[in-house]
Amino acid sequence: MDNQNSLITDFDFTMIADYFSGLNRQGPGSDEQTIKALSFIPELASLRHIADIGCGTGAQTSVLASQTKADIIANDFLPEMIEGLRKRAGRNGFLQRLQTIQCSMDELPFDSHSLDLIWAEGSIYNIGFERGLTLWKPFLRESGYIGVSDACWLTRKRPDQIDWFKEDFPEISDISAKLRIIEKLGYQAMAHFILPQDCWTENYYAPMLSYMDTFLDRHHRSPTAIAFIDRMEEEIEMYRKYGNLYGYVFFIMRKV
Ligand code: SAH
């Protein structure tokens, strides 16, 4: 395998699942930022049905549960993530309100107009920002809400290693382009904000760095495991170099 050009998706899903399910979060974020994003939704206490799409092991699901009284249907296509989430829900006391659905996020089995809120932190890129917002809209009741975080350019300057970004963040665009998509699809863009850098460095990459050795040992330092870790280290290095130029932006919108 060519380390330089291997994308995460080139690795087998067992390895990806094993690596990411061992982490507290599978993407940049924090409890505080999830709470902040939720604060833009006016009727939080009256929400009844929430879907959390691409939930991973459920760092944000736990916040959705603590900040609302709603039933939560969480989705991920990797069984290891669902298992991690169910354990977390047991620990944090929201298993009773949780239903899990293991399938791809572009094949969700929801009824139309059945959801008050759809949440997708760091996951919509898997099927594309525009495609996800298009496919999920029918599931929302009128005036229902969506909160998603996705990668954006934060300035007009681009990294020198732009080809790496084209491969690894194919959908990255500036914030205004994503706002235009939101409006084009018939949503009202209620709020957006940039996730602070510690959501990447402290909450996502630091735990990843301290977990790498354990992971490599568990995989007997196989060439594939080493290539996988090299690829993750490369991503961390990109953020160290260019983290002022790109980041995750939370978008909160309402179906109108
Ligand atoms: N929301 C979590 C996880 C983000 S990582 C967090 O912020 O910590 C993206 C998640 O989407 C992973 O758990 C991955 O397994 C899941 N995923 C990737 N492609 C998917 C797809 N097509 N359908 C459903 N889940 C998918």
Side-chain angles (χ1 to χ4, degrees):
M1 190 178 300
D2 177 1
N3 289 4
Q4 294 307 311
N5 296 320
S6 48
L7 282 173
I8 283 291
T9 44
D10 297 333
F11 293 95
D12 88 47
F13 275 127
T14 323
M15 183 161 291
I16 296 173
D18 179 44
Y19 184 71
F20 284 101
S21 64
L23 300 168
N24 181 46
R25 320 189 57 95
Q26 289 75 41
S30 74
D31 289 0
E32 296 72 29
Q33 299 303 313
T34 301
I35 291 172
K36 175 172 173 179
L38 280 169
S39 75
F40 294 103
I41 295 169
E43 313 139 29
L44 213 49
S46 65
L47 301 179
R48 287 286 162 266
H49 305 291
I50 301 178
D52 183 10
I53 300 178
C55 59
T57 61
Q60 74 292 318
T61 325
S62 212
V63 178
L64 292 169
S66 70
Q67 300 298 308
T68 71
K69 297 187 174 65
D71 291 330
I72 300 172
I73 311 175
N75 153 261
D76 205 285
F77 74 165
L78 295 178
E80 293 83 352
M81 300 297 174
I82 302 266
E83 193 189 318
L85 164 64
R86 296 195 71 88
K87 281 193 192 139
R88 192 193 296 262
R91 285 197 305 274
N92 296 355
F94 65 94
L95 204 48
Q96 304 285 355
R97 288 155 60 199
L98 180 72
Q99 199 188 319
T100 49
I101 301 181
Q102 190 203 322
C103 70
S104 183
M105 59 175 80
D106 55 2
E107 292 176 346
L108 292 164
F110 300 134
D111 292 333
S112 83
H113 293 83
S114 62
L115 298 170
D116 301 311
L117 172 65
I118 293 175
W119 209 250
E121 281 196 37
S123 63
I124 196 169
Y125 74 90
N126 286 297
I127 58 166
F129 188 80
E130 177 159 359
R131 182 150 178 263
L133 294 183
T134 305
L135 288 178
W136 302 342
K137 195 178 173 204
F139 304 140
L140 280 182
R141 65 155 161 89
E142 290 311 314
S143 293
Y145 303 95
I146 298 192
V148 297
S149 59
D150 203 19
C152 290
W153 298 121
L154 305 180
T155 73
R156 303 206 68 162
K157 188 167 154 40
R158 298 290 173 259
D160 298 333
Q161 282 151 295
I162 187 73
D163 288 345
W164 186 90
F165 286 86
K166 282 186 183 151
E167 264 200 53
D168 279 59
F169 290 81
E171 276 239 326
I172 190 166
S173 70
D174 43 26
I175 296 176
S176 54
K178 291 208 161 118
L179 290 172
R180 280 197 299 278
I181 291 173
I182 289 172
E183 287 167 356
K184 182 180 90 180
L185 297 178
Y187 295 99
Q188 195 177 67
M190 298 175 64
H192 69 271
F193 61 90
I194 299 167
L195 289 186
Q197 294 199 334
D198 64 356
C199 287
W200 293 74
T201 51
E202 275 162 50
N203 296 352
Y204 186 44
Y205 289 147
M208 217 186 245
L209 283 166
S210 49
Y211 174 66
M212 285 175 171
D213 263 336
T214 315
F215 175 82
L216 285 172
D217 285 346
R218 203 165 57 236
H219 288 270
H220 309 292
R221 302 196 174 249
S222 74
T224 320
I226 290 172
F228 181 78
I229 291 299
D230 285 351
R231 166 63 192 71
M232 294 316 302
E233 284 178 334
E234 189 179 80
E235 182 185 317
I236 295 171
E237 178 61 12
M238 287 296 171
Y239 190 75
R240 199 188 58 72
K241 276 182 165 163
Y242 303 118
N244 287 327
L245 306 186
Y246 69 98
Y248 260 31
V249 176
F250 231 120
F251 296 93
I252 298 92
M253 68 204 83
R254 187 166 76 100
K255 176 175 169 177
V256 286

